[in-house]
Amino acid sequence: MRNYLKALKRCTAVGAVALAAFSLQPGGAQAQEPGPGVVGGTRAQQGEFPWMVRLSMGCGGALLTQQIVLTAAHCVDGSGPNTSITATAGVVDLNSSQAIKVKSTRVLQAPGYNGAGKDWALIKLAKPVNLPTLKIADTTAYNNGTFTIAGWGATREGGGQQRSLLKATVPFVDDATCQGAYGDSLTPGDEICAGYMDTGGVDTCQGDSGGPMFRKDDSGAWIQVGIVSWGEGCARPGYPGVYSEVSTFASAIRSAAASL
């Protein structure tokens, strides 16, 4: 049960019963004008992160290819044909008339996912979208420094979903420090942590699940190092955000994408 609870931390809608039981529903999925941040962030500029995707079940994602979205395993319900998800892309403001909306056709959840680690999934879209994609990290070389996070999720625990994309930066937190906060709930090697341990105040939150954590590579291009997964509340001191470690699964992600 502990692992199922943690996997729900940053998702707005996996199942009505589950959300009611754990009191994690962020006040509904209505889009609001942004408050102070993605907790503690600022509004992204149009075109700044063109590969960002909002998913209709209340999660985020990033374009792995122009027809496949990389998101979190806990955002989807198993693998197979699925036409129930709508992906919104190409805009910061979800209400923009320029928004690109495409239905899903198939979902692939990480093989062996059980709520602890392996928190990645792929969603195939009905047609390609003509937008840039976000490359994924193949090695741990970029699992350090400062990362960017972005999403349309809540700006505080229990808050509503946002109409506009918000962004923030968070520093890497090493596994030993993160395990000090979360103990055996953390799966080292599968997960990477980031946040301000002493002060809190900046973090992803409910509704940001599945979105990317990213930084610049040595050539100055954006590269995805994490997938928003879970955390104890949002932006609490002593409890960093926990992200699926992309480099661990890069080969599996690419193989899965080729099979869709």
Side-chain angles (χ1 to χ4, degrees):
M1 185 64 73
R2 179 192 67 226
N3 287 333
Y4 185 53
L5 174 57
K6 81 174 188 181
L8 281 171
K9 287 288 187 182
R10 307 256 155 120
C11 190
T12 65
V14 172
V17 174
L19 286 168
F22 295 119
S23 301
L24 290 172
Q25 192 167 3
Q30 71 277 12
Q32 302 175 351
E33 280 300 329
V38 81
V39 181
T42 57
R43 179 169 172 163
Q45 298 301 306
Q46 177 62 31
E48 188 173 5
F49 310 123
W51 22 258
M52 286 293 300
V53 175
R54 179 65 172 174
L55 299 169
S56 56
M57 81 287 275
C59 283
L63 289 172
L64 177 68
T65 73
Q66 291 189 328
Q67 200 168 355
I68 296 176
V69 177
L70 176 61
T71 187
H74 74 263
C75 288
V76 301
D77 185 16
S79 300
N82 186 324
T83 59
S84 68
I85 301 167
T86 300
T88 301
V91 293
V92 166
D93 181 348
L94 295 177
N95 285 1
S96 169
S97 61
Q98 304 302 309
I100 301 168
K101 295 181 182 288
V102 186
K103 285 284 191 180
S104 61
T105 60
R106 179 170 291 272
V107 170
L108 193 155
Q109 190 180 57
Y113 173 73
N114 65 0
K118 298 183 178 67
D119 197 8
W120 63 270
L122 300 176
I123 298 172
K124 186 172 185 179
L125 304 179
K127 61 182 179 180
V129 293
N130 187 25
L131 290 169
T133 59
L134 178 61
K135 66 179 179 179
I136 57 176
D138 291 304
T139 73
T140 60
Y142 299 110
N143 290 358
N144 57 69
T146 300
F147 308 117
T148 298
I149 51 177
W152 289 270
T155 60
R156 59 179 174 80
E157 287 185 38
Q161 301 301 284
Q162 302 301 299
R163 168 178 163 178
S164 296
L165 181 68
L166 304 176
K167 64 176 181 176
T169 57
V170 285
F172 169 71
V173 174
D174 64 81
D175 283 350
T177 302
C178 200
Q179 272 199 298
Y182 291 117
D184 63 3
S185 290
L186 188 74
T187 308
D190 275 20
E191 296 173 324
I192 179 173
C193 303
Y196 294 90
M197 288 293 295
D198 293 339
T199 61
V202 182
D203 199 3
T204 49
C205 201
Q206 282 84 12
D208 292 322
S209 278
M213 179 172 75
F214 48 98
R215 52 160 288 180
K216 293 289 183 70
D217 67 9
D218 291 339
S219 66
W222 290 115
I223 188 168
Q224 183 172 356
V225 298
I227 300 168
V228 179
S229 186
W230 63 281
E232 181 65 31
C234 303
R236 296 182 187 180
Y239 292 98
V242 183
Y243 302 78
S244 190
E245 190 170 309
V246 168
S247 61
T248 299
F249 306 109
S251 178
I253 289 169
R254 287 200 177 94
S255 295
S259 74
L260 281 178

